[in-house]
Amino acid sequence: MAGQSPGSRRITAIAPLSVVAIRVAAAERSTVSSTCSAEFLVEPFEVGNPGPHVIAAVEAVKALGFEPIVGPFGTTIEGDAELVTEAVKSLLDAANKAGASRVSIQMNACDG
């Protein structure tokens, strides 16, 4: 993709209720780093008062061994690309089951 370095990968996922649409834009798979990061935002959200859908998503990635960095505009995890991908699926499932109206995800390859 224009503007992205070789091997960069960006995944955007939107999960309104139980529908998940994932769009992947990536260079050839063989050039993708084995380490990546993902940032996710679970909605609806209220600053200082995360709902059960937000807590469920964070707990889902913690259950896979990640130590998520929770910020005011999203939560970030970083690690092995396969584990991060598994964590994204897990957090989407957990957030949807707990009542999320939308889950936004940005996933980027990191230097390995």
Side-chain angles (χ1 to χ4, degrees):
M1 275 193 112
Q4 290 185 325
S5 62
S8 68
R9 181 179 189 178
R10 182 179 176 139
I11 297 175
T12 304
I14 300 172
L17 300 175
S18 63
V19 179
V20 177
I22 298 178
R23 182 179 54 197
V24 176
E28 292 192 27
R29 188 168 178 83
S30 63
T31 63
V32 175
S33 173
S34 64
T35 303
C36 66
S37 65
E39 181 178 21
F40 59 95
L41 173 65
V42 181
E43 297 181 64
F45 66 90
E46 183 178 324
V47 177
N49 187 23
H53 47 286
V54 176
I55 294 168
V58 172
E59 291 301 319
V61 298
K62 283 183 177 180
L64 292 172
F66 289 95
E67 294 182 23
I69 300 168
V70 180
F73 302 109
T75 301
T76 304
I77 59 172
E78 186 173 320
D80 176 79
E82 288 186 31
L83 292 176
V84 170
T85 302
E86 181 181 341
V88 167
K89 181 189 180 316
S90 182
L91 77 89
L92 285 169
D93 290 344
N96 282 323
K97 287 178 185 173
S101 61
R102 180 180 178 120
V103 178
S104 301
I105 299 171
Q106 180 172 314
M107 187 170 168
N108 297 302
C110 299
D111 293 330

